[in-house]
Amino acid sequence: MSTAEHHESNQAEEMIRVDFDDRVMIITLTRPNALNALCKKLIMQLNSALDQAENDTRIGVIVITGAGQAFAAGADISEMKNLTFAEVAEKDFIQPWERLSRCQKPVIAAINGYALGGGCEMAMMCDIIYASETAQFGQPEITIGTMPGAGGTQRLTALVGKSKAMELCLTGRKIPAQEAEAMGLVTRIFAGADLMKETMATAHKIAKFSAPVVRMIKEAVNNVAEVPLVAGIRSERRLFQSTFALEDRKEGMTAFLEKRPAAFKNR
């Protein structure tokens, strides 16, 4: 599947680049001179690409990465500096960033450098975080007189626990990929030259499975942070039972018994 088949041109998308590799959409943040700082225009373009991916049945997985030395080194401070409380409250500033967290399709973050502030928050909205050996993470908002506002205090605490999240948010300390992996923030670490290869291998593997089942699994895992355990177990059971309405479930089990690869049709 070529880029042309999906997309007429990316030339107007100055702050992101969208590429396609079979059933995987790759979104690259392209503000390297600003360390891919997250501004309103970039978020609008990112959200548009996410909408495109969600509405295209040919796309099974989304990969997000950054050009240059950063994934995203935070929000664009120059864009925020002169805003007043009335302005940010009236416009619910940063709310559009949450679009990423609502993706029904799996999203893998490939962190190739700095993932700080809003960049770290964006990574945590993704489902899997792969990092290069030189990646760095942190919530340094306190050092500029503010605090995380795109889920940093909430998702970080859910991932690494209260004490570690509190330290990172209250000190602004940056941590290397190895420490981030040890505390449960990062899924896996790779050499820089291997990061995208390994990320794409995982993306292609997931994209080959039944799309309805992939969505159900993502919903069930996300329920852990949203509902009590008893309700989550009940929801998981209902989702499991729902797979028995799928042709893909029957095909998968039949293929297993016949010792052949399954031919999923996403229905």
Side-chain angles (χ1 to χ4, degrees):
M1 190 186 312
S2 70
T3 300
E5 289 176 315
H6 286 277
H7 203 64
E8 290 183 2
S9 173
N10 287 325
Q11 292 181 353
E13 297 181 341
E14 300 170 0
M15 297 193 175
I16 68 169
R17 186 179 73 246
V18 178
D19 298 293
F20 302 89
D21 188 346
D22 196 18
R23 286 177 47 77
V24 179
M25 173 187 275
I26 306 110
I27 301 172
T28 305
L29 310 184
T30 55
R31 293 188 74 197
N33 292 337
L35 295 178
N36 299 323
L38 304 173
C39 62
K40 180 178 179 181
K41 184 176 180 182
L42 186 151
I43 295 298
M44 288 176 61
Q45 293 175 2
L46 172 64
N47 289 351
S48 177
L50 295 173
D51 289 343
Q52 179 188 352
E54 296 263 67
N55 293 325
D56 191 337
T57 58
R58 296 172 294 180
I59 298 301
V61 176
I62 302 162
V63 169
I64 301 181
T65 192
Q69 297 180 334
F71 175 71
D76 192 327
I77 306 303
S78 64
E79 189 175 78
M80 297 190 296
K81 184 175 76 73
N82 294 321
L83 294 176
T84 66
F85 169 71
E87 289 172 328
V88 296
E90 180 181 356
K91 297 177 181 178
D92 200 6
F93 184 60
I94 289 188
Q95 189 278 332
W97 295 30
E98 285 292 317
R99 170 67 183 87
L100 178 58
S101 70
R102 298 193 302 272
C103 277
Q104 293 185 324
K105 296 182 179 181
V107 184
I108 305 175
I111 311 297
N112 50 311
Y114 296 114
L116 305 175
C120 188
E121 291 172 310
M122 177 179 287
M124 290 189 289
M125 292 181 201
C126 299
D127 302 303
I128 296 171
I129 301 177
Y130 283 172
S132 71
E133 294 172 329
T134 57
Q136 292 188 52
F137 298 81
Q139 298 293 158
E141 290 88 348
I142 196 167
T143 66
I144 57 168
T146 188
M147 63 175 284
T153 63
Q154 304 302 296
R155 292 189 176 94
L156 186 61
T157 303
L159 287 169
V160 309
K162 174 186 171 181
S163 181
K164 287 184 171 63
M166 197 72 81
E167 186 214 19
L168 292 176
C169 291
L170 289 179
T171 66
R173 184 169 72 90
K174 302 180 186 70
I175 59 173
Q178 294 77 9
E179 185 175 350
E181 182 188 32
M183 67 172 60
L185 175 58
V186 165
T187 312
R188 295 171 69 187
I189 299 174
F190 301 100
D194 296 329
L195 176 62
M196 284 306 295
K197 180 183 71 174
E198 296 291 347
T199 299
M200 292 303 295
T202 296
H204 285 304
K205 183 172 185 177
I206 294 170
K208 289 179 180 177
F209 293 131
S210 169
V213 177
V214 167
R215 284 196 300 272
M216 290 178 187
I217 291 172
K218 177 166 178 173
E219 178 183 341
V221 172
N222 282 336
N223 271 343
V224 172
E226 297 171 1
V227 301
L229 178 60
V230 171
I233 294 294
R234 188 181 305 117
S235 174
E236 178 192 72
R237 188 179 308 122
R238 293 289 182 263
L239 288 167
F240 163 72
Q241 292 166 352
S242 296
T243 67
F244 283 76
L246 298 172
E247 292 180 23
D248 285 342
R249 192 277 315 167
K250 187 171 184 179
E251 163 61 14
M253 292 185 178
T254 300
F256 176 81
L257 293 173
E258 293 178 354
K259 296 179 169 51
R260 62 174 174 81
F264 296 121
K265 297 180 180 178
N266 299 320
R267 59 176 186 255

